Amino acid sequence: MKKITIFSMPRMDARRKNLHLALLALVLLAAPLSGQAMHASSPTGEELFINGTIHVDTQAIARTLLVIDGRVAGIDVNPAHYPNATIIDLNGAFAYPGFDDSHVHLIESAYFFSAGINLMSCKNADDIASALSGKVKTMPKGKIVLGLGFSLRDYDQWSLEDLAKLDAVTGDHPAFLADKLGHNAIINSAAIKLAGITAETPVPLGGKMGTESGKLTGMLRESAMILPFNTLFSLFDKDEIRASTEKMARQWAMMGYTSIVELMGGPGARFMMPEVFQELEAEGKLPLRVNYAYTIFNLNDVDTAAQYRGRDTDLVRFMGCKIFVDGAFAGGQAWTSWANNQGNHGLQEIYTDDAGGPELNLNRIVAKVEEYGMNMHYHVQGDMAIEAVLDALDKVRAEKGEIKSTHTLIHLAFPTDEQIARIKSFNGKVITTVQPGFWPVENDTEYYYGDWAEKAYPIKKLIDSGISVGISTDFSVSPPAYTPATTIIGIATTGNNAPEIHQPLSILDAVRGLTEGSAATTGRADTGSLHLSNKADLVIFDAELYTTEPKAFTSQTPKIMAVYVSGRKVFSAK
């Protein structure tokens, strides 16, 4: 007898659908998983999806989908020809290729949200001290104090007086507090002492340590964060890292993501723990596909990254490398050809020649990545950073005749028209991933860029040029409220309710960015659509996305009914 699964789609009160985004943030941070999460594993036998609208990609629609051993084996097949298949009756629902978050820092953000203190409302030292004081008093002696999410108007103004306020509430506990951008951190005096750094400690290229009267203030910008991080990392609770990662992965599956590109680190630190995902997969507890990267800072790191090749499993796969070319746009650190309001051109994190030695030459690094055949993601915000990467790729193309790997430009706050044309000239080997969620999140950048701020992130221009454009969260730069795929679609298709500043995307643009565009950044061709032989990763909605009004997209609507990875149900709203 056939096994039949039927979706029930009860009518929902419209008011309940339109939950406030702040409530979602609390749900993600504190609440247990709603709905039912099931373990993903490689299925055997045949499964047949019927009785629904199945979007094979952003163009083609099918009525049935045959899955064998976790891959698409037939489209619009006759169910009568597969009498032994397990039937999944969509009951009129709408299926799409699973969504892909093509730039996320899930593992470290999950741990900081779990073990750390929420600093998202903190704008100054007094706010931070107040947020920490109550919780630090209850912590065991010597326990590291972690925090995440603060945002300062001017990071360079952090002073010894501010450090004293932090020390007053943290005492002997070493503290590491990361800002919402992931590009700046504050440590207290106990952490400074533990790490053994002083005002005379050499700072890596692109980094900056705050000093006053020859003393450290505790402010670490960009790559300077790496100075204490390795020492403090040894104090992290590895069991809690695993537990928080599992929980956060389940949350991403709830939001319709069947795949992520996990960057495992920031400009000043690596959080390189792919084994956590591999262990969860082996135990049947990993509900999504993980493509992970190795963050490189110099030429030698490319050799280290190459050692991760050949370790792939079905769900956990090495994507390639990531490198920071410039700093954070929202912190005034985008590397631009024009001077910002602070009178500088931002920050470059790497050289474009041998001025800092061969090890720090971007051209040599890109060439070596190509020799290994690895993919690369580049943090580029300003036009000078974009130019540096395109010049390096042009040198490889001139020498080798072609680019073989996939090179993904991340963020692109200020691309020029000429640079967009240059990107397109690489015929799909140079692509992008962008974050519409940054439109509401990074809405106070006039301080650094004046009128230029409104010109940042021209996502629609990139799409209309014909460049492959993925869409991602960059969690936790995008806070929890802005991470659901439906929320992102709503922001993108309304221009964040400011279409005169941000040109809205079509729903098709947004869906393509969350599927085909994001899948392209992995350098693989087996996800992002439900074409034959692709992984059977699906997200099922109760309504048609393409006919939903842009303003109707919220964190809860349209509603996700179920999520499948390799043909296995990993989430059900029931």
Side-chain angles (χ1 to χ4, degrees):
M1 182 178 294
K2 296 180 182 179
K3 179 181 177 182
I4 301 178
T5 301
I6 300 177
F7 289 129
S8 174
M9 296 184 290
R11 296 180 63 182
M12 295 182 290
D13 188 299
R15 292 171 297 176
R16 185 163 58 88
K17 288 183 178 181
N18 194 21
L19 295 178
H20 194 278
L21 288 176
L23 175 61
L24 177 67
L26 294 176
V27 169
L28 287 174
L29 290 172
L33 182 70
S34 63
Q36 180 183 6
M38 283 159 280
H39 300 165
S41 59
S42 296
T44 57
E46 301 171 344
E47 297 169 295
L48 190 57
F49 291 80
I50 67 168
N51 194 24
T53 300
I54 302 169
H55 291 273
V56 176
D57 52 28
T58 52
Q59 302 296 327
I61 293 176
R63 295 300 171 188
T64 64
L65 191 78
L66 177 66
V67 176
I68 299 178
D69 294 334
R71 292 181 178 271
V72 177
I75 298 170
D76 271 335
V77 300
N78 186 341
H81 296 165
Y82 301 91
N84 297 319
T86 297
I87 300 298
I88 295 118
D89 190 337
L90 296 176
N91 196 31
F94 300 84
Y96 298 81
F99 292 159
D100 187 340
D101 188 344
S102 49
H103 182 102
V104 64
H105 301 269
L106 192 149
I107 188 168
E108 66 260 39
S109 297
Y111 179 62
F112 270 78
F113 271 115
S114 175
I117 298 168
N118 187 349
L119 304 177
M120 285 191 169
S121 63
C122 298
K123 304 296 183 183
N124 53 51
D126 291 325
D127 291 347
I128 293 171
S130 177
L132 296 177
S133 58
K135 295 186 179 181
V136 171
K137 291 176 182 177
T138 65
M139 295 175 64
K141 185 177 181 179
K143 178 83 170 177
I144 186 170
V145 178
L146 297 175
L148 178 68
F150 72 87
S151 179
L152 306 181
R153 167 57 74 183
D154 190 336
Y155 289 83
D156 291 330
Q157 294 302 310
W158 184 265
S159 66
L160 289 174
E161 180 181 352
D162 295 325
L163 175 61
K165 293 176 181 179
L166 178 59
D167 287 343
V169 297
T170 56
D172 294 334
H173 296 276
F176 186 94
L177 314 177
D179 80 330
K180 74 172 186 179
L181 305 174
H183 284 248
N184 306 278
I186 301 168
I187 58 176
N188 65 353
S189 294
I192 292 172
K193 181 178 179 181
L194 180 65
I197 57 178
T198 70
E200 288 73 41
T201 300
V203 181
L205 175 66
K208 183 178 182 180
M209 294 195 298
T211 61
E212 182 181 336
S213 302
K215 297 180 180 179
L216 293 177
T217 66
M219 174 59 68
L220 304 174
R221 306 204 64 183
E222 302 289 349
S223 60
M225 291 188 291
I226 204 167
L227 296 174
F229 188 82
N230 290 337
T231 299
L232 298 176
F233 184 79
S234 65
L235 303 178
F236 291 1
D237 187 324
K238 302 306 186 291
D239 290 335
E240 190 160 5
I241 291 174
R242 175 192 160 96
S244 61
T245 299
E246 178 184 353
K247 179 179 178 181
M248 198 65 79
R250 291 168 65 193
Q251 298 286 5
W252 251 242
M254 282 177 60
M255 296 187 293
Y257 295 108
T258 59
S259 180
I260 62 172
V261 174
E262 167 60 59
L263 278 302
M264 291 197 175
R270 293 191 190 96
F271 215 102
M272 199 67 194
M273 301 182 72
E275 66 275 7
V276 171
F277 292 109
Q278 291 164 342
E279 291 167 5
L280 290 173
E281 179 185 10
E283 296 170 13
K285 297 178 180 178
L286 184 62
L288 45 68
R289 202 173 303 285
V290 178
N291 302 282
Y292 67 93
Y294 186 90
T295 299
I296 61 176
F297 300 105
N298 57 54
L299 193 61
N300 285 335
D301 285 342
V302 180
D303 294 324
T304 305
Q307 297 177 23
Y308 285 90
R309 298 176 303 166
R311 304 182 187 181
D312 292 352
T313 59
D314 178 46
L315 295 182
V316 185
R317 313 192 291 192
F318 177 58
M319 183 278 301
C321 304
K322 185 209 175 168
I323 191 168
F324 287 86
V325 182
D326 64 352
F329 160 71
Q333 303 282 47
W335 182 16
T336 58
S337 58
W338 38 270
N340 58 36
N341 284 1
Q342 309 308 300
N344 61 63
H345 296 268
L347 177 74
Q348 66 181 92
E349 299 255 10
I350 199 74
Y351 289 103
T352 56
D353 53 28
D354 284 344
E359 288 297 305
L360 297 177
N361 186 332
L362 179 64
N363 299 303
R364 296 181 184 274
I365 292 170
V366 172
K368 194 167 188 179
V369 167
E370 268 285 312
E371 286 178 15
Y372 272 118
M374 293 188 292
N375 305 316
M376 181 90 115
H377 283 219
Y378 304 83
H379 178 286
V380 286
Q381 292 275 33
D383 62 326
M384 289 298 288
I386 298 168
E387 193 81 1
V389 174
L390 296 178
D391 286 348
L393 290 166
D394 268 335
K395 287 181 172 64
V396 172
R397 181 165 59 176
E399 181 179 345
K400 302 294 184 180
E402 62 177 337
I403 297 292
K404 295 182 178 180
S405 300
T406 299
H407 297 263
T408 302
L409 307 183
I410 307 166
H411 306 316
L412 300 98
F414 296 114
T416 67
D417 291 345
E418 180 187 10
Q419 288 170 343
I420 293 173
R422 289 181 69 187
I423 294 170
K424 189 174 181 180
S425 75
F426 285 93
N427 298 318
K429 303 308 292 185
V430 181
I431 58 178
T432 66
T433 181
V434 298
Q435 299 74 34
F438 281 7
W439 289 343
V441 172
E442 299 183 348
N443 59 358
D444 57 354
T445 51
E446 292 86 357
Y447 177 78
Y448 296 108
Y449 302 103
D451 292 341
W452 279 93
E454 292 189 355
K455 302 174 183 178
Y457 303 128
I459 298 173
K460 181 64 172 172
K461 180 183 286 189
L462 293 171
I463 292 172
D464 288 348
S465 75
I467 294 170
S468 177
V469 179
I471 288 179
S472 51
T473 65
D474 196 6
F475 177 69
S476 62
V477 178
S478 289
Y482 295 94
T483 54
T486 47
T487 297
I488 293 172
I489 294 173
I491 293 170
T493 54
T494 62
N496 191 38
N497 295 316
E500 70 282 1
I501 298 174
H502 304 295
Q503 188 177 358
L505 279 59
S506 69
I507 296 174
L508 188 144
D509 288 338
V511 172
R512 181 183 288 124
L514 287 163
T515 55
E516 299 166 31
S518 282
T521 71
T522 69
R524 301 173 186 268
D526 59 357
T527 62
S529 70
L530 296 174
H531 296 160
L532 289 174
S533 80
N534 273 13
K535 302 283 189 179
D537 299 348
L538 300 87
V539 55
I540 316 298
F541 284 94
D542 69 342
E544 173 63 85
L545 299 184
Y546 295 122
T547 57
T548 300
E549 288 294 322
K551 290 186 177 181
F553 283 96
T554 73
S555 62
Q556 301 292 305
T557 55
K559 182 180 179 180
I560 295 174
M561 304 302 297
V563 177
Y564 290 79
V565 174
S566 286
R568 285 288 189 188
K569 189 189 297 182
V570 297
F571 170 74
S572 171
K574 295 170 64 178

